[in-house]
């Protein structure tokens, strides 16, 4: 379990030294954070995840010797409490959606403002989930939005927080089947087909903001 306050061990995984240097500068501004290791390829990232079991790993989505999604799966397997923030140069909506659907704790573009990265990484370390607004902008669709009921908005908010159907059912004192029905209606009303698209809608509509825990 990642502690709510430091000290936090952080591993930076990126094959570009310049990016690693920039991330070190940003992380140095987070009270209680310390760099526990650096990886320049996928194999090194997996090895450090297994050896150090860091509180947070920043992960490049496309590194040599094992791609980002493979690294993500292996680190999750060996160190399930490690929170993982993907920092990527890929701007494909499909690729970004895959990361969100995989359950990554944070998602940033490499063009992200350093202050946004700083706030986001700190929020993740404190237990939140952070999807940068420029990522959400890529994911936003043009579907016509129908009016949501108060209950549907509650369910949407909890989905965006990463809650399972069972957890939502417990929070709202309803059955898991009712939650599933709400989820199905939300998808239909919003014209979306994935959690990534639901999350983009929640950000756009102000249900979640850039610095909130998702």
């Amino acid at each position: 379990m990642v502690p709510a306050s430091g000290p936090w061990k952080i591993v930076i995984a990126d094959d570009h030294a310049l990016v690693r240097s920039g991330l070190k500068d940003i992380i140095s501004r987070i009270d209680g954070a310390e760099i526990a290791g650096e990886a320049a390829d996928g194999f090194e990232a997996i090895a450090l995840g297994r050896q150090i079991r860091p509180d947070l790993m920043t992960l490049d989505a496309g590194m040599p010797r094992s791609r980002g999604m493979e690294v993500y799966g292996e680190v999750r397997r060996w160190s399930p409490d490690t929170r993982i923030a993907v920092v990527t140069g890929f701007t494909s909506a499909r690729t970004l959606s895959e990361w969100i659907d995989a359950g990554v704790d944070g998602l940033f573009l490499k063009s992200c403002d350093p202050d946004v990265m700083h706030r986001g990484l700190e929020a993740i370390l404190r237990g939140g989930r952070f999807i940068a607004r420029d990522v959400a902008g890529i994911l936003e669709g043009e579907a016509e939005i129908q009016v949501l009921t108060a209950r549907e908005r509650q369910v949407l908010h909890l989905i965006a927080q990463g809650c399972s159907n069972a957890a939502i059912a417990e929070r709202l004192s309803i059955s898991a089947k009712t939650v599933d029905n709400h989820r199905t209606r939300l998808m239909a009303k919003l014209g979306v087909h994935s959690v990534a698209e639901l999350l983009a809608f929640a950000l756009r509509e102000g249900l979640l903001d850039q610095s909130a825990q998702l």
Side-chain angles (χ1 to χ4, degrees):
M1 190 76 172
V2 176
S5 59
W8 293 301
K9 296 180 296 182
I10 300 176
V11 167
I12 298 172
D14 196 291
D15 59 319
H16 293 98
L18 188 61
V19 174
R20 295 198 304 273
S21 177
L23 285 169
K24 282 193 289 186
D25 286 344
I26 292 169
I27 291 166
S28 70
R29 295 162 48 197
I30 301 175
D31 289 340
E34 58 182 53
I35 306 299
E38 296 181 47
D41 63 47
F43 283 4
E44 289 181 1
I46 293 169
L48 287 177
R50 183 176 180 179
Q51 175 188 350
I52 297 173
R53 299 179 187 265
D55 298 303
L56 170 68
M57 177 180 287
T58 65
L59 176 63
D60 183 5
M63 288 189 296
R65 302 178 70 207
S66 193
R67 307 298 286 177
M69 195 62 78
E70 295 168 347
V71 176
Y72 176 75
E74 286 298 299
V75 173
R76 280 279 191 249
R77 183 162 75 94
W78 290 107
S79 182
D81 288 336
T82 295
R83 301 182 70 78
I84 299 176
V86 170
V87 184
T88 181
F90 297 140
T91 57
S92 159
R94 179 178 178 180
T95 299
L96 296 174
S97 293
E98 287 174 352
W99 280 111
I100 293 177
D101 288 342
V104 71
D105 299 295
L107 186 55
F108 305 84
L109 297 183
K110 288 187 176 179
S111 58
C112 183
D113 184 281
D115 288 338
V116 172
M117 182 80 72
H118 171 263
R119 292 197 304 273
L121 292 179
E122 187 167 30
I124 292 165
L125 283 166
R126 296 188 184 281
R129 192 181 189 211
F130 192 99
I131 309 301
R133 194 170 292 279
D134 50 3
V135 172
I138 293 171
L139 295 173
E140 286 178 357
E142 299 298 326
E144 181 179 353
I145 304 304
Q146 299 185 46
V147 176
L148 301 183
T149 67
R151 178 64 87 191
E152 285 168 347
R153 285 184 173 272
Q154 284 180 311
V155 171
L156 172 58
H157 198 191
L158 292 170
I159 290 171
Q161 288 180 334
C163 296
S164 66
N165 279 7
I168 295 172
E170 183 176 354
R171 288 274 292 273
L172 300 181
S173 298
I174 56 180
S175 71
K177 181 173 177 56
T178 299
V179 174
D180 190 57
N181 290 339
H182 283 309
R183 185 189 288 260
T184 300
R185 284 197 295 271
L186 276 169
M187 295 282 195
K189 280 188 174 183
L190 303 181
V192 300
H193 307 285
S194 70
V195 173
E197 291 174 333
L198 274 177
L199 186 56
F201 171 81
L203 283 165
R204 186 180 67 227
E205 293 299 299
L207 295 177
L208 303 166
D209 64 37
Q210 194 168 296
S211 59
Q213 293 182 7
L214 303 188

